[in-house]
Amino acid sequence: MRPFLRALAVAVLAVPAAAWPAVADGGGDGTPPDFTIEDARIKESSGLAASRAHPGLYWTHNDSGDGPYVYGVDSRTGRTVTTITLAGVEARDAEAISLGPDGSLYLGDIGDNFGGRWPEVWIYRFPEPKELQENITLTPTRYTVRYDDGPRDAESLMVHPKTGRMYIVSKKKSGKGALYEAPEKLTESGVNTFRRIADINVWATDGAFSPDGTRLVVRGYFEAIAYRWQDGRPTEIGRPSVPLQRQGESVTFTPDGRTLMYGSEGTRSRVTPVALSGDLLPDSAAEDKSGGRSPKGSAPADDERTTDADRNRNLALGAGTLAVGTLLALGLRRLLRARRG
């Protein structure tokens, strides 16, 4: 057996069956089912936002390499029902999408694959369409953004559903990531400087506010942190479960606030639900007893929270899965070279 094939076999066998993503079928407690994004154009889904105007619809987009497009995906079928083209926009590295209280969608062209080379990034605001058509062209408002402590790579944009204030979480590579707050009033003609207000200790790939604005969740590739949001500041309260995905890139709350929907990159990527309970539930959802979830302030059920052991296992399994993917790519490349030779 060739050395690279031997290494590949060892890596595959080293990753237990539990490491491979499980299919979530929804539950009898009202948790929505998972769905697969069927559109072949959506190869690098990098942001996710649940529509308020169209139940069951989720907005997503590719990151770098695509045009200025936002796709509306029907979660019942996984098919794209509308494509929005942003006129006059040359997307560089769109990484996040969020829905504001004014009914507008906000697309964050905030990625920086060079780790902080771009002095400015942009956020585009445009109305969520009331009527869905196959193709829609809109001219967005553009906001130019800088950070008060210099350029940052970021993939997480959140608009608070009550105040409308925008926040960005930088992507941690060394040290800690951070939460940045936009000015209370944004300018279209000048530069909007986002101010660092808190540390976020996760390699953040997306974040989302709950519909009532009382919870903030920030996810990484294999972990997530939940915060209680009060007086414009976060307080960590727990770690929601995170499904193991090919490359976990996005998260959003369902409109009722009871479930997190986690998305991933890749062709035919899957969006997976994780139900919330206990203190992880937003205040409005916890006060509504009709859903049968745990009351506000109680501890999450054992199967709906991430313990330190779960977190370590997810990180280990994630690393193993990435190693397998890398070895597969290297193995395929060497086989192709051998054939050509």
Side-chain angles (χ1 to χ4, degrees):
M1 184 180 289
R2 295 182 182 182
F4 74 89
L5 290 177
R6 184 181 299 110
L8 177 60
V10 170
V12 171
L13 292 173
V15 180
W20 303 104
V23 175
D25 295 321
D29 60 355
T31 304
D34 68 335
F35 65 94
T36 298
I37 298 176
E38 301 288 354
D39 193 332
R41 296 174 298 174
I42 307 175
K43 299 177 181 179
E44 295 183 319
S45 175
S46 193
L48 200 64
S51 171
R52 293 199 197 107
H54 309 284
L57 187 79
Y58 287 84
W59 299 103
T60 190
H61 56 88
N62 290 309
D63 58 16
S64 57
D66 196 12
Y69 308 121
V70 174
Y71 306 94
V73 178
D74 184 349
S75 61
R76 291 162 293 191
T77 64
R79 296 178 180 175
T80 298
V81 296
T82 185
T83 301
I84 299 174
T85 300
L86 300 181
V89 172
E90 185 175 344
R92 182 169 61 191
D93 192 359
E95 289 287 357
I97 191 166
S98 186
L99 189 60
D102 59 351
S104 292
L105 286 163
Y106 293 77
L107 180 68
D109 192 345
I110 56 176
D112 188 339
N113 291 326
F114 300 100
R117 178 181 297 181
W118 309 121
E120 298 175 345
V121 292
W122 303 285
I123 296 171
Y124 298 96
R125 175 174 62 85
F126 53 98
E128 181 178 26
K130 295 181 179 179
E131 301 292 334
L132 298 179
Q133 304 172 18
E134 184 177 356
N135 293 288
I136 301 173
T137 298
L138 298 173
T139 300
T141 299
R142 186 176 84 165
Y143 299 108
T144 300
V145 172
R146 290 180 183 171
Y147 303 98
D148 65 350
D149 54 357
R152 292 288 181 272
D153 184 22
E155 297 185 5
S156 312
L157 168 70
M158 301 81 63
V159 181
H160 195 273
K162 300 300 182 183
T163 67
R165 200 158 192 169
M166 286 189 283
Y167 299 84
I168 291 174
V169 177
S170 62
K171 190 172 184 180
K172 178 181 78 170
K173 290 191 175 178
S174 61
K176 293 183 177 179
L179 177 68
Y180 292 84
E181 180 183 65
E184 187 174 358
K185 293 184 178 180
L186 299 179
T187 175
E188 300 174 29
S189 56
V191 173
N192 299 278
T193 300
F194 279 52
R195 184 170 59 94
R196 182 175 182 143
I197 61 170
D199 291 337
I200 301 292
N201 193 23
V202 64
W203 197 345
T205 60
D206 201 12
F209 280 110
S210 60
D212 67 357
T214 65
R215 298 293 185 273
L216 168 67
V217 168
V218 180
R219 75 159 299 175
Y221 293 117
F222 312 114
E223 60 180 332
I225 303 178
Y227 300 88
R228 180 181 297 278
W229 190 263
Q230 192 169 15
D231 299 326
R233 294 295 182 269
T235 301
E236 184 175 339
I237 57 173
R239 293 180 176 266
S241 295
V242 178
L244 192 62
Q245 298 174 310
R246 282 180 285 184
Q247 186 171 330
E249 286 284 340
S250 58
V251 68
T252 190
F253 282 82
T254 52
D256 65 3
R258 294 181 174 278
T259 305
L260 293 174
M261 302 295 286
Y262 289 98
S264 173
E265 282 195 359
T267 303
R268 299 192 77 247
S269 61
R270 188 179 299 279
V271 178
T272 304
V274 171
L276 298 173
S277 67
D279 203 35
L280 300 183
L281 274 171
D283 289 354
S284 60
E287 291 164 1
D288 178 9
K289 303 294 182 62
S290 62
R293 301 285 176 81
S294 304
K296 176 183 175 182
S298 65
D302 288 341
D303 60 348
E304 293 180 353
R305 64 182 174 186
T306 300
T307 64
D308 289 341
D310 294 331
R311 183 185 178 204
N312 292 336
R313 185 181 67 248
N314 279 356
L315 291 172
L317 293 177
T321 305
L322 289 176
V324 170
T326 301
L327 286 169
L328 284 171
L330 290 172
L332 180 59
R333 185 177 301 173
R334 293 190 183 186
L335 285 173
L336 290 174
R337 286 177 180 173
R339 287 185 178 180
R340 290 171 183 169

